[in-house]
Amino acid sequence: MHNPASKPFDPPIEVSPNNPCPFLRGLVGKGFVDGGTVPLGTLAQTIANASGEKGPKKTLARIETRGVALIANGARHLLKSIWSGAQLDALRGGPLDKRGAGSRILSVDGRVNEDEIARLASFGRNYPDPCGGVEPGLNASEIEIFMRDNLKRAGDAARWYYPLLMKFEWPILLKIMGKGEGENRYLSVADVRTLFNERKFPDRINQRLLSQPVLSACQRTMRGALKLAALLVALGLVTLIAVAEFPDQVRAVLWGQAAQLIPPPLPPLRETTAAYWLEQNWSLEDRHWFHHTSQGTATFPVPYSWFMALEQPRLHLFSRPGMMKDSTYLERFGFIPSPQSINTDATTLRRFGYANVYETKQPPSLSSDWGQGENVDGLPVGFARTTGVVDPATGRREEDKIGLTCAACHTGHIRYKGVDVRFDGGPAMTDLKKLELSTGLSIAYTLYVPFRFKRFADRVLGPEASDADRDALKQKLGAIGKFLLDWQNNYDKTIAGKTTWDGKQQKDTEEGFGRLDALNRIGNQVFAQDFAFSGVAGFEKNLHAQDAPVSFPPIWTVPWLKYAQYDASIEQPLIRNAGEALGVTALLNLSDAYPKDRLYRSSAEITNLHWIESLLAGPDPYAQKKLGGLTSPKWPSQILGDAWKIDPDSVKRGRKLYATICVECHLGPVNDPEFDKEYPEKSVWSSPRWERIGDQMVLNPVQKSVAGMGTDSAQANVLEKRTISVPGFLDLQPTRILGEQWKCTNLPETSSTEMSYALGLMAIVDVVSRKAMDDAQIPPERQKSWWGARANCPNPGPQPPDPKEPRPWYRARPLNGAWATAPYLHNGSVPSLYWMLRPAAERPKKFCMGNRDYDPKQVGFAVVEGETCKTGETQFSTTWPDGTEINGNSNRGHSFEGTPGPDKPGVIGRPLEEKERYDLIEYLKTL
């Protein structure tokens, strides 16, 4: 009887005929493994030892062996194989048994067939033995031929998976027992004969097995645990490096909550070789004041000093991340850089684009009421510090807040070959959603990434701050972070359970660069989040998906239009501005838990809102037949070279086309005296659409039915269809409030708790604005002057009424400055004027925004169908990946493709020839 410790056994022991594998028979015969059930770890390690491999190759050998051994006894024995091991004396008839499609050297009773060994040798040749002499053997290619012939001999008995099994038999035997190197490595026929007949390995294989003892189960478990720990550490390091160095690529392969832990990708900051602010009738002081004056908003969820102390939500391995406040970082969200002060040297002003336009002329300031704008931290255009903040509910003095201004959304710029051209009142090219996400992640990283909170606390409190003060700061920051996370979860849960007015599941539409769903955002802020801020629960039900994004509308000329907004929904200028301030998070008390006189109190800077309107409007234009205040920017051909030069002959032809096909809706241009001379009957200044309201003349723009125009209806339907609920203690009764204050007529009856969003918004902004004036101690006569005579009443529609234009409506504005407002249509769905003047069906269905150059020929952005967006850019698309239409993103309508008619919605004129198209574009450049 053999002693188990005296390996290898000599002579070898007998092996069960039900173990047909020659190599396993050798392991059993020499006592290296048991002949019955062998744990997978033991078997894998033994065969890996025999292979002579080292390092990763040896690990791979163990993995391969485990995989084969796991299935060796068949699916019925899978659990037993996992827990106990492979049953070597039960391999016959299992998945590895090829039932006559193999070599047939070993019979079912365990006897060796010498004729089959001779057949094996016939496929080989003589090879030089490394120890001297020659001997018959087979190299890899000869073994491959031998195995194919075996399959051929088996005929229909061969199965499709046998070639895969064969890769783990003779080729592995060659790898372990072969002699020589490379193509001359061969499997000795003599060694094969010895292995089959005597169950005996060559001495070199025995030596490999004896020199590497097989570990016990406990040792293997310990080694596996250590390797797993090392693997987890390595994976952690790899993940950290990937997230730190390649965050955009990592985020792209993640989904759900995991993707939200990595900041959204941003376009790289492009080099600017020169910058120019275009002349628009504002002084340098006016412009900088507009860029940074506060509306009383706290758009960001942390105090001003905290925002200044937050770091960018990026992981860095060997350096600290930049600061959130860094202008170069915020510029990647689409914001425009701005100097700390205009009282600086000419070189600095020129670098920010200010000095260039003001070196030759300086328009006088439009008012002496306000001082210069403050931007001591060098934030971009549109950021303001709100000082002297008082909690509207408690009356407690608050820390300074940081908020967005009008300029954040209504200051535009275009790029052309490294030159940045900037202008006020135009549509911003910002992505506020990405800024929101990045700010929230910055707070989370500050709380949970090692060392960040200490640095944050050092900046906010000072390095000598006590542990108690630091703990208190962390609790406050943590509470803000928790509120933001809980609110997002509430939003997602609420939207998942709501449908649109046409029965579809509500779903956010990506806003992207240059677009914002302002109306739905204002509604969500005022009628849901402001209630939550005020401690009034249960009004998350008022939330609505952000599914009607629009391009930021230009605001030059707007003060003198009777109706603002794309859907002509607001007549009263102060209501328009105050509603916008509430939408970008002016603090607002909507709680009854405090004295009644604090209800509707807000942080809105009502005086600044009035001054902003005065700055935009300027003097009454009707008397002088010329717009003052903020004028639209002129085409910058004097700055950008030959490609921007205007062809005067083309302009003349284009002017005639404009008079023929554009004035019906957009009226005559407000800034082309030559048009007024040639077409006096079509001049905007002689239009009957000027109306006297109080002591002002305002232009009542043409309104067209959304259905007739064929353009996307989502934005118009927000105020047409959305409804809200409010608590009864607010006593918010729009019919009474608007009727008493403005004598509005034909208002629908509403309860004090359920109402249309449109009426509810008009009423609450009215009440909040009057409260703000009273709190600011504005004298009654001045309040009356600030309000003016323009009413806060619902828009009655086209005037005179037109039954062919059913509600809802969009209004058509004069086209001054249209060149600076790409992309086009109210929802920013058409990239250039060129595509606006082609049939709607031909317009691009997808294009990228965020960091692309302006095209002076097409006037807007030249796009290529199917283009791939660069890192950080956002893709506009009319459809989801499955081909269904995206709510709010239709680019149909306003189409030049035939004769307009009631049975042709969206068709507004005949097809234009290519030359006509460019002539009209050339004329629009001059407006």
Side-chain angles (χ1 to χ4, degrees):
M1 185 165 183
H2 290 288
N3 180 358
S6 61
K7 300 174 185 176
F9 297 159
D10 190 16
I13 63 173
E14 290 295 329
V15 181
S16 168
N18 290 321
N19 179 351
C21 176
F23 191 76
L24 292 179
R25 291 175 67 83
L27 290 178
V28 175
K30 286 295 185 177
F32 291 110
V33 296
D34 293 333
T37 300
V38 183
L40 297 182
T42 299
L43 187 61
Q45 187 180 354
T46 302
I47 295 177
N49 289 347
S51 72
E53 300 286 10
K54 298 183 183 300
K57 289 185 177 181
K58 186 173 182 179
T59 300
L60 180 61
R62 286 202 302 269
I63 294 172
E64 290 176 342
T65 302
R66 276 181 176 270
V68 175
L70 185 64
I71 65 170
N73 297 117
R76 290 182 303 167
H77 302 275
L78 190 61
L79 291 178
K80 185 175 180 180
S81 297
I82 294 172
W83 293 111
S84 301
Q87 302 152 63
L88 302 189
D89 56 0
L91 297 177
R92 181 77 68 183
L96 303 187
D97 186 355
K98 292 182 291 301
R99 296 175 175 81
S103 68
R104 301 183 185 177
I105 293 175
L106 197 70
S107 66
V108 294
D109 59 0
R111 295 180 183 277
V112 176
N113 190 331
E114 282 291 342
D115 290 340
E116 293 295 336
I117 293 179
R119 176 175 172 271
L120 169 69
S122 70
F123 284 89
R125 57 190 171 89
N126 287 331
Y127 285 87
D129 187 338
C131 296
V134 295
E135 63 175 334
L138 293 84
N139 67 7
S141 61
E142 291 161 346
I143 288 175
E144 181 72 25
I145 295 170
F146 168 68
M147 292 189 300
R148 286 204 301 268
D149 194 71
N150 290 342
L151 292 173
K152 183 178 180 182
R153 180 175 63 172
D156 293 340
R159 298 290 183 265
W160 63 269
Y161 57 87
Y162 284 2
L164 179 63
L165 296 178
M166 288 177 172
K167 293 180 181 296
F168 296 95
E169 294 182 352
W170 292 100
I172 295 297
L173 207 58
L174 169 66
K175 186 175 183 180
I176 296 176
M177 293 178 51
K179 300 177 181 179
E181 299 295 335
E183 292 184 0
N184 290 324
R185 186 173 179 82
Y186 69 96
L187 180 62
S188 167
V189 175
D191 286 346
V192 171
R193 180 177 284 108
T194 301
L195 182 59
F196 273 99
N197 283 311
E198 304 178 31
R199 302 167 304 284
K200 179 180 178 181
F201 295 126
D203 288 342
R204 64 184 181 279
I205 306 301
N206 291 333
Q207 189 59 41
R208 287 177 192 167
L209 292 167
L210 292 172
S211 64
Q212 303 175 80
V214 176
L215 301 177
S216 68
C218 181
Q219 289 172 321
R220 288 198 307 273
T221 301
M222 182 61 69
R223 184 178 68 174
L226 292 174
K227 288 186 175 181
L228 178 60
L231 178 62
L232 292 176
V233 171
L235 287 175
L237 289 173
V238 169
T239 302
L240 178 61
I241 292 171
V243 172
E245 302 301 328
F246 310 101
D248 297 340
Q249 292 81 350
V250 172
R251 195 179 200 274
V253 301
L254 298 176
W255 63 90
Q257 294 295 326
Q260 301 305 314
L261 297 177
I262 299 177
L266 300 173
L269 185 64
R270 298 170 65 184
E271 180 184 2
T272 298
T273 58
Y276 300 87
W277 281 97
L278 298 182
E279 199 282 316
Q280 293 178 262
N281 198 45
W282 274 0
S283 70
L284 184 56
E285 291 83 1
D286 293 340
R287 176 164 262 158
H288 197 250
W289 180 86
F290 175 74
H291 290 172
H292 299 290
T293 194
S294 172
Q295 305 177 90
T297 60
T299 314
F300 297 88
V302 294
Y304 184 90
S305 62
W306 294 19
F307 185 84
M308 295 297 107
L310 286 174
E311 296 175 353
Q312 298 167 17
R314 285 285 305 270
L315 298 178
H316 290 256
L317 298 180
F318 306 108
S319 62
R320 294 182 182 180
M323 306 301 294
M324 282 291 297
K325 69 175 182 178
D326 290 347
S327 181
T328 52
Y329 177 65
L330 295 174
E331 287 170 47
R332 296 176 65 191
F333 294 93
F335 292 98
I336 301 170
S338 182
Q340 293 174 297
S341 171
I342 56 173
N343 295 322
T344 185
D345 58 276
T347 300
T348 300
L349 288 176
R350 189 173 293 108
R351 177 163 57 88
F352 285 97
Y354 279 101
N356 298 289
V357 72
Y358 296 107
E359 285 174 338
T360 56
K361 58 182 178 180
Q362 171 74 276
S365 176
L366 294 180
S367 178
S368 58
D369 289 336
W370 54 79
Q372 291 187 4
E374 177 190 337
N375 186 32
V376 295
D377 290 294
L379 295 170
V381 170
F383 287 77
R385 182 173 189 165
T386 302
T387 59
V389 181
V390 174
D391 185 304
T394 65
R396 183 178 59 248
R397 181 66 179 264
E398 295 276 315
E399 293 188 63
D400 291 354
K401 306 296 183 183
I402 179 170
L404 296 179
T405 73
C406 294
C409 299
H410 300 290
T411 306
H413 69 121
I414 60 173
R415 290 183 61 89
Y416 181 75
K417 294 184 177 180
V419 177
D420 206 57
V421 176
R422 302 162 182 173
F423 40 86
D424 284 303
M429 195 49 67
T430 55
D431 191 328
L432 296 185
K433 185 67 173 182
K434 285 189 174 184
L435 182 57
E436 290 173 352
L437 294 174
S438 297
T439 304
L441 279 174
S442 176
I443 294 171
Y445 280 28
T446 301
L447 289 168
Y448 299 112
V449 174
F451 312 115
R452 285 214 179 185
F453 180 78
K454 181 183 183 305
R455 298 196 297 265
F456 173 77
D458 286 347
R459 298 184 185 109
V460 173
L461 302 173
E464 304 302 322
S466 67
D467 290 343
D469 288 342
R470 290 172 183 270
D471 289 342
L473 177 63
K474 193 166 190 176
Q475 287 182 356
K476 293 177 182 177
L477 187 65
I480 292 172
K482 185 178 185 304
F483 177 86
L484 294 176
L485 181 60
D486 290 347
W487 183 258
Q488 185 61 48
N489 290 336
N490 284 336
Y491 176 85
D492 294 338
K493 181 179 179 180
T494 302
I495 299 306
K498 299 189 76 170
T499 57
T500 59
W501 22 85
D502 55 357
K504 298 176 183 176
Q505 171 63 51
Q506 287 193 19
K507 185 177 182 180
D508 282 354
T509 297
E510 183 176 19
E511 296 162 318
F513 282 98
R515 300 202 310 165
L516 194 76
D517 186 358
L519 278 181
N520 274 325
R521 279 174 170 263
I522 291 173
N524 290 348
Q525 179 65 47
V526 175
F527 294 109
Q529 194 165 77
D530 280 340
F531 282 126
F533 281 145
S534 299
V536 181
F539 289 91
E540 294 84 355
K541 60 185 178 182
N542 284 335
L543 288 168
H544 193 285
Q546 296 168 11
D547 60 358
V550 297
S551 176
F552 299 107
I555 57 175
W556 50 72
T557 315
V558 165
W560 300 106
L561 298 179
K562 183 176 182 181
Y563 294 107
Q565 312 292 28
Y566 288 114
D567 56 1
S569 56
I570 300 179
E571 177 182 351
Q572 223 299 317
L574 193 56
I575 293 295
R576 167 183 13 107
N577 295 341
E580 181 264 335
L582 293 181
V584 288
T585 325
L587 304 182
L588 175 62
N589 177 40
L590 296 177
S591 171
D592 63 345
Y594 300 92
K596 192 173 182 179
D597 66 337
R598 296 180 186 177
L599 191 63
Y600 292 117
R601 180 168 288 170
S602 74
S603 64
E605 293 279 5
I606 198 71
T607 300
N608 283 351
L609 292 175
H610 168 70
W611 284 345
I612 288 170
E613 185 67 16
S614 298
L615 182 63
L616 289 169
D620 186 340
Y622 187 76
Q624 55 188 2
K625 306 297 185 285
K626 179 182 178 182
L627 287 167
L630 179 67
T631 58
S632 55
K634 293 295 185 182
W635 180 257
S637 55
Q638 77 283 6
I639 296 173
L640 296 174
D642 291 344
W644 290 69
K645 288 184 177 178
I646 293 177
D647 179 357
D649 293 331
S650 182
V651 168
K652 290 180 181 178
R653 296 190 296 269
R655 182 181 288 115
K656 184 176 181 179
L657 283 167
Y658 185 97
T660 304
I661 65 177
C662 300
V663 293
E664 177 185 352
C665 295
H666 295 285
L667 306 179
V670 298
N671 56 352
D672 181 13
E674 190 61 34
F675 181 96
D676 297 337
K677 291 179 184 178
E678 290 187 36
Y679 308 99
E681 74 286 358
K682 296 181 179 181
S683 170
V684 68
W685 304 108
S686 60
S687 171
R689 302 198 69 85
W690 285 94
E691 296 181 15
R692 180 168 296 280
I693 301 179
D695 58 357
Q696 291 182 337
M697 294 289 285
V698 296
L699 184 63
N700 190 352
V702 174
Q703 297 177 54
K704 290 289 185 179
S705 166
V706 173
M709 290 303 296
T711 50
D712 192 282
S713 62
Q715 200 265 353
N717 279 329
V718 173
L719 296 184
E720 183 76 7
K721 305 285 190 180
R722 185 174 174 179
T723 59
I724 57 165
S725 301
V726 298
F729 67 77
L730 286 182
D731 192 27
L732 188 68
Q733 300 184 48
T735 300
R736 175 181 58 78
I737 293 171
L738 301 181
E740 290 178 357
Q741 297 290 356
W742 299 103
K743 312 303 179 190
C744 301
T745 59
N746 300 320
L747 295 175
E749 288 298 326
T750 61
S751 73
S752 60
T753 58
E754 306 291 331
M755 62 199 68
S756 76
Y757 168 43
L759 289 178
L761 184 63
M762 295 173 73
I764 199 169
V765 177
D766 199 298
V767 174
V768 169
S769 299
R770 295 180 190 278
K771 180 69 173 173
M773 286 187 186
D774 291 341
D775 288 345
Q777 299 182 348
I778 308 298
E781 284 303 312
R782 187 178 299 173
Q783 289 191 32
K784 183 178 179 180
S785 172
W786 284 11
W787 282 115
R790 294 166 67 177
N792 181 26
C793 295
N795 171 24
Q799 298 151 34
D802 186 347
K804 294 182 297 183
E805 301 289 345
R807 62 186 312 142
W809 308 280
Y810 286 136
R811 61 117 170 98
R813 72 170 188 87
L815 294 180
N816 52 315
W819 69 267
T821 61
Y824 295 95
L825 288 183
H826 71 276
N827 61 348
S829 60
V830 182
S832 67
L833 283 177
Y834 175 81
W835 289 110
M836 272 299 299
L837 299 178
R838 290 188 69 90
E842 300 175 5
R843 295 169 184 162
K845 304 301 181 187
K846 295 180 181 180
F847 56 89
C848 305
M849 294 300 295
N851 206 3
R852 64 190 311 154
D853 271 5
Y854 189 92
D855 184 340
K857 181 175 176 62
Q858 294 196 0
V859 181
F861 303 100
V863 303
V864 178
E865 189 68 31
E867 63 184 1
T868 301
C869 297
K870 298 176 182 177
T871 298
E873 294 181 340
T874 53
Q875 183 186 71
F876 171 87
S877 177
T878 60
T879 59
W880 296 106
D882 64 2
T884 57
E885 292 188 350
I886 298 177
N887 196 63
N889 277 14
S890 169
N891 67 353
R892 294 190 294 267
H894 199 282
S895 181
F896 292 92
E897 59 180 88
T899 303
D903 58 339
K904 297 179 180 179
V907 177
I908 65 168
R910 65 173 177 83
L912 298 176
E913 297 178 3
E914 192 77 348
K915 189 174 187 304
E916 290 180 311
R917 199 171 287 122
Y918 279 113
D919 285 342
L920 186 52
I921 289 173
E922 200 75 358
Y923 177 64
L924 291 174
K925 292 177 183 178
T926 69
L927 299 184

Short mmCIF file of all heavy atoms in Angstrom, two decimals, residues 242-271:
data_model
loop_
_atom_site.label_atom_id
_atom_site.label_comp_id
_atom_site.label_asym_id
_atom_site.label_seq_id
_atom_site.Cartn_x
_atom_site.Cartn_y
_atom_site.Cartn_z
N ALA A 242 -9.20 56.96 -12.91
CA ALA A 242 -10.11 57.16 -14.04
C ALA A 242 -11.04 58.34 -13.81
O ALA A 242 -11.23 59.18 -14.69
CB ALA A 242 -10.92 55.88 -14.28
N VAL A 243 -11.62 58.41 -12.60
CA VAL A 243 -12.54 59.51 -12.30
C VAL A 243 -11.80 60.84 -12.26
O VAL A 243 -12.32 61.87 -12.69
CB VAL A 243 -13.26 59.25 -10.96
CG1 VAL A 243 -14.06 60.47 -10.53
CG2 VAL A 243 -14.17 58.04 -11.08
N ALA A 244 -10.56 60.82 -11.76
CA ALA A 244 -9.79 62.06 -11.65
C ALA A 244 -9.32 62.56 -13.00
O ALA A 244 -9.38 63.75 -13.31
CB ALA A 244 -8.61 61.86 -10.71
N GLU A 245 -8.83 61.63 -13.82
CA GLU A 245 -8.19 62.04 -15.07
C GLU A 245 -9.11 61.95 -16.29
O GLU A 245 -8.90 62.64 -17.27
CB GLU A 245 -6.95 61.17 -15.31
CG GLU A 245 -5.92 61.25 -14.20
CD GLU A 245 -5.40 62.67 -13.97
OE1 GLU A 245 -5.33 63.44 -14.95
OE2 GLU A 245 -5.10 63.00 -12.81
N PHE A 246 -10.12 61.09 -16.22
CA PHE A 246 -11.00 60.91 -17.38
C PHE A 246 -12.47 60.91 -16.95
O PHE A 246 -13.22 59.98 -17.22
CB PHE A 246 -10.67 59.58 -18.09
CG PHE A 246 -9.21 59.40 -18.38
CD1 PHE A 246 -8.43 58.58 -17.57
CD2 PHE A 246 -8.62 60.05 -19.45
CE1 PHE A 246 -7.08 58.41 -17.84
CE2 PHE A 246 -7.27 59.88 -19.73
CZ PHE A 246 -6.50 59.06 -18.92
N PRO A 247 -12.91 61.96 -16.25
CA PRO A 247 -14.28 61.96 -15.70
C PRO A 247 -15.35 61.90 -16.78
O PRO A 247 -16.38 61.26 -16.59
CB PRO A 247 -14.35 63.27 -14.91
CG PRO A 247 -13.30 64.14 -15.53
CD PRO A 247 -12.20 63.21 -15.94
N ASP A 248 -15.14 62.57 -17.89
CA ASP A 248 -16.16 62.59 -18.93
C ASP A 248 -16.36 61.21 -19.52
O ASP A 248 -17.50 60.77 -19.77
CB ASP A 248 -15.77 63.58 -20.04
CG ASP A 248 -15.68 65.01 -19.53
OD1 ASP A 248 -16.26 65.29 -18.46
OD2 ASP A 248 -15.01 65.83 -20.18
N GLN A 249 -15.25 60.49 -19.75
CA GLN A 249 -15.36 59.15 -20.31
C GLN A 249 -16.00 58.19 -19.31
O GLN A 249 -16.81 57.33 -19.69
CB GLN A 249 -13.98 58.63 -20.72
CG GLN A 249 -13.36 59.36 -21.91
CD GLN A 249 -12.69 60.68 -21.54
OE1 GLN A 249 -12.82 61.15 -20.41
NE2 GLN A 249 -11.97 61.26 -22.47
N VAL A 250 -15.65 58.34 -18.03
CA VAL A 250 -16.24 57.47 -17.01
C VAL A 250 -17.74 57.73 -16.90
O VAL A 250 -18.55 56.79 -16.84
CB VAL A 250 -15.56 57.69 -15.65
CG1 VAL A 250 -16.30 56.95 -14.54
CG2 VAL A 250 -14.11 57.23 -15.71
N ARG A 251 -18.14 58.99 -16.90
CA ARG A 251 -19.57 59.32 -16.78
C ARG A 251 -20.36 58.77 -17.95
O ARG A 251 -21.51 58.36 -17.81
CB ARG A 251 -19.73 60.84 -16.70
CG ARG A 251 -21.11 61.30 -16.22
CD ARG A 251 -21.16 62.82 -16.15
NE ARG A 251 -22.21 63.29 -15.28
CZ ARG A 251 -23.47 63.49 -15.63
NH1 ARG A 251 -23.85 63.22 -16.87
NH2 ARG A 251 -24.36 63.95 -14.78
N ALA A 252 -19.73 58.72 -19.13
CA ALA A 252 -20.44 58.27 -20.32
C ALA A 252 -20.82 56.80 -20.25
O ALA A 252 -21.80 56.38 -20.87
CB ALA A 252 -19.58 58.52 -21.56
N VAL A 253 -20.05 55.99 -19.49
CA VAL A 253 -20.35 54.55 -19.43
C VAL A 253 -21.18 54.20 -18.20
O VAL A 253 -21.54 53.04 -18.02
CB VAL A 253 -19.05 53.72 -19.43
CG1 VAL A 253 -18.24 53.99 -20.69
CG2 VAL A 253 -18.20 54.01 -18.19
N LEU A 254 -21.48 55.20 -17.36
CA LEU A 254 -22.31 54.94 -16.19
C LEU A 254 -23.76 55.33 -16.48
O LEU A 254 -24.06 55.94 -17.50
CB LEU A 254 -21.79 55.74 -14.99
CG LEU A 254 -20.38 55.41 -14.52
CD1 LEU A 254 -19.98 56.34 -13.39
CD2 LEU A 254 -20.26 53.96 -14.08
N TRP A 255 -24.65 54.99 -15.60
CA TRP A 255 -26.05 55.35 -15.77
C TRP A 255 -26.68 55.53 -14.39
O TRP A 255 -26.12 55.14 -13.37
CB TRP A 255 -26.79 54.29 -16.57
CG TRP A 255 -26.84 52.94 -15.92
CD1 TRP A 255 -27.77 52.45 -15.06
CD2 TRP A 255 -25.86 51.90 -16.06
NE1 TRP A 255 -27.45 51.19 -14.66
CE2 TRP A 255 -26.27 50.82 -15.26
CE3 TRP A 255 -24.67 51.79 -16.79
CZ2 TRP A 255 -25.56 49.65 -15.17
CZ3 TRP A 255 -23.96 50.60 -16.69
CH2 TRP A 255 -24.41 49.55 -15.90
N GLY A 256 -27.87 56.14 -14.37
CA GLY A 256 -28.60 56.30 -13.13
C GLY A 256 -27.87 57.16 -12.12
O GLY A 256 -27.18 58.13 -12.44
N GLN A 257 -28.00 56.76 -10.83
CA GLN A 257 -27.40 57.52 -9.75
C GLN A 257 -25.88 57.56 -9.83
O GLN A 257 -25.25 58.53 -9.43
CB GLN A 257 -27.84 56.92 -8.41
CG GLN A 257 -29.33 57.06 -8.12
CD GLN A 257 -29.75 58.51 -7.96
OE1 GLN A 257 -29.01 59.34 -7.47
NE2 GLN A 257 -30.97 58.82 -8.40
N ALA A 258 -25.28 56.47 -10.34
CA ALA A 258 -23.82 56.42 -10.43
C ALA A 258 -23.30 57.55 -11.31
O ALA A 258 -22.30 58.20 -10.98
CB ALA A 258 -23.37 55.06 -10.97
N ALA A 259 -23.97 57.80 -12.44
CA ALA A 259 -23.52 58.86 -13.34
C ALA A 259 -23.65 60.23 -12.68
O ALA A 259 -22.86 61.14 -12.97
CB ALA A 259 -24.34 58.83 -14.64
N GLN A 260 -24.64 60.39 -11.78
CA GLN A 260 -24.85 61.69 -11.14
C GLN A 260 -23.76 62.03 -10.13
O GLN A 260 -23.71 63.16 -9.65
CB GLN A 260 -26.22 61.71 -10.46
CG GLN A 260 -27.39 61.48 -11.40
CD GLN A 260 -27.41 62.44 -12.57
OE1 GLN A 260 -27.23 63.64 -12.39
NE2 GLN A 260 -27.59 61.91 -13.77
N LEU A 261 -22.92 61.06 -9.78
CA LEU A 261 -21.84 61.33 -8.84
C LEU A 261 -20.64 61.97 -9.50
O LEU A 261 -19.70 62.39 -8.83
CB LEU A 261 -21.41 60.03 -8.15
CG LEU A 261 -22.48 59.33 -7.30
CD1 LEU A 261 -21.94 58.02 -6.75
CD2 LEU A 261 -22.94 60.24 -6.17
N ILE A 262 -20.65 62.04 -10.82
CA ILE A 262 -19.55 62.64 -11.57
C ILE A 262 -20.09 63.88 -12.27
O ILE A 262 -21.18 63.85 -12.85
CB ILE A 262 -18.98 61.64 -12.59
CG1 ILE A 262 -18.43 60.42 -11.84
CG2 ILE A 262 -17.89 62.27 -13.44
CD1 ILE A 262 -17.91 59.33 -12.73
N PRO A 263 -19.38 64.99 -12.22
CA PRO A 263 -19.90 66.24 -12.79
C PRO A 263 -20.14 66.12 -14.29
O PRO A 263 -19.45 65.35 -14.97
CB PRO A 263 -18.81 67.27 -12.47
CG PRO A 263 -17.58 66.47 -12.24
CD PRO A 263 -18.04 65.18 -11.64
N PRO A 264 -21.10 66.86 -14.82
CA PRO A 264 -21.38 66.81 -16.26
C PRO A 264 -20.19 67.33 -17.05
O PRO A 264 -19.47 68.22 -16.59
CB PRO A 264 -22.60 67.72 -16.42
CG PRO A 264 -22.55 68.63 -15.23
CD PRO A 264 -21.96 67.83 -14.12
N PRO A 265 -19.95 66.79 -18.23
CA PRO A 265 -18.82 67.25 -19.04
C PRO A 265 -19.04 68.68 -19.52
O PRO A 265 -20.17 69.10 -19.78
CB PRO A 265 -18.79 66.27 -20.21
CG PRO A 265 -20.19 65.74 -20.30
CD PRO A 265 -20.71 65.71 -18.90
N LEU A 266 -17.95 69.41 -19.62
CA LEU A 266 -17.99 70.80 -20.08
C LEU A 266 -17.07 70.97 -21.27
O LEU A 266 -16.04 70.30 -21.37
CB LEU A 266 -17.55 71.74 -18.95
CG LEU A 266 -18.38 71.73 -17.67
CD1 LEU A 266 -17.70 72.59 -16.61
CD2 LEU A 266 -19.79 72.23 -17.93
N PRO A 267 -17.42 71.85 -22.19
CA PRO A 267 -16.51 72.11 -23.30
C PRO A 267 -15.21 72.71 -22.78
O PRO A 267 -15.20 73.42 -21.77
CB PRO A 267 -17.27 73.13 -24.16
CG PRO A 267 -18.69 73.05 -23.71
CD PRO A 267 -18.65 72.66 -22.28
N PRO A 268 -14.10 72.45 -23.44
CA PRO A 268 -12.84 73.08 -23.02
C PRO A 268 -12.91 74.58 -23.22
O PRO A 268 -13.67 75.07 -24.08
CB PRO A 268 -11.79 72.44 -23.93
CG PRO A 268 -12.56 71.99 -25.14
CD PRO A 268 -13.93 71.59 -24.64
N LEU A 269 -12.17 75.31 -22.41
CA LEU A 269 -12.12 76.77 -22.56
C LEU A 269 -11.25 77.11 -23.76
O LEU A 269 -10.08 76.75 -23.81
CB LEU A 269 -11.55 77.40 -21.29
CG LEU A 269 -11.56 78.93 -21.26
CD1 LEU A 269 -12.98 79.45 -21.27
CD2 LEU A 269 -10.82 79.45 -20.03
N ARG A 270 -11.83 77.78 -24.73
CA ARG A 270 -11.11 78.10 -25.96
C ARG A 270 -10.38 79.43 -25.82
O ARG A 270 -10.85 80.35 -25.15
CB ARG A 270 -12.08 78.13 -27.13
CG ARG A 270 -12.75 76.80 -27.39
CD ARG A 270 -13.87 76.90 -28.39
NE ARG A 270 -13.41 77.27 -29.70
CZ ARG A 270 -14.21 77.52 -30.75
NH1 ARG A 270 -15.52 77.43 -30.58
NH2 ARG A 270 -13.73 77.84 -31.91
N GLU A 271 -9.26 79.51 -26.47
CA GLU A 271 -8.46 80.73 -26.41
C GLU A 271 -9.18 81.86 -27.15
O GLU A 271 -9.71 81.67 -28.25
CB GLU A 271 -7.09 80.50 -27.04
CG GLU A 271 -6.21 81.73 -27.01
CD GLU A 271 -4.88 81.52 -27.71
OE1 GLU A 271 -4.67 80.41 -28.27
OE2 GLU A 271 -4.06 82.45 -27.72
#
